[in-house]
Amino acid sequence: MMFAESRGMSSTISLPTCSCCHRHIMPNDKCVKFNCPNCGTDLIWRCESCREAARNYTCSSCNFQGP
Ligand SMILES: [Zn+2]
Ligand SMILES: [Zn+2]
């Protein structure tokens, strides 16, 4: 699903957002992405800082929270 979330921004590229801190993930970020281990449909993104801090993520589809 592709929805334009960033209207009015100069960038036309839709950057993924970190599922932990909800910041945009830059292409050179050492992020990780994986499917939700609970529902398997949602793609979880974790930015570098959240990965290092081991912050919890929340799946936007099933609200599953995991480390
Ligand atoms: Zn983050
Ligand atoms: Zn899920």
Side-chain angles (χ1 to χ4, degrees), residues 18 20-21 23 47 49-50:
C18 174
C20 310
C21 64
R23 280 184 302 203
C47 70
S49 57
C50 286

Side-chain angles (χ1 to χ4, degrees), residues 28-40:
N28 59 352
D29 214 341
K30 285 191 203 137
C31 62
V32 286
K33 68 168 190 283
F34 53 92
N35 283 99
C36 170
N38 189 49
C39 66

Side-chain angles (χ1 to χ4, degrees), residues 6-50:
S6 53
R7 279 170 186 269
M9 290 181 78
S10 54
S11 173
T12 52
I13 310 163
S14 61
L15 292 166
T17 25
C18 174
S19 302
C20 310
C21 64
H22 304 289
R23 280 184 302 203
H24 286 298
I25 290 170
M26 295 300 139
N28 59 352
D29 214 341
K30 285 191 203 137
C31 62
V32 286
K33 68 168 190 283
F34 53 92
N35 283 99
C36 170
N38 189 49
C39 66
T41 56
D42 217 57
L43 199 58
I44 312 283
W45 287 83
R46 286 178 107 189
C47 70
E48 188 178 358
S49 57
C50 286

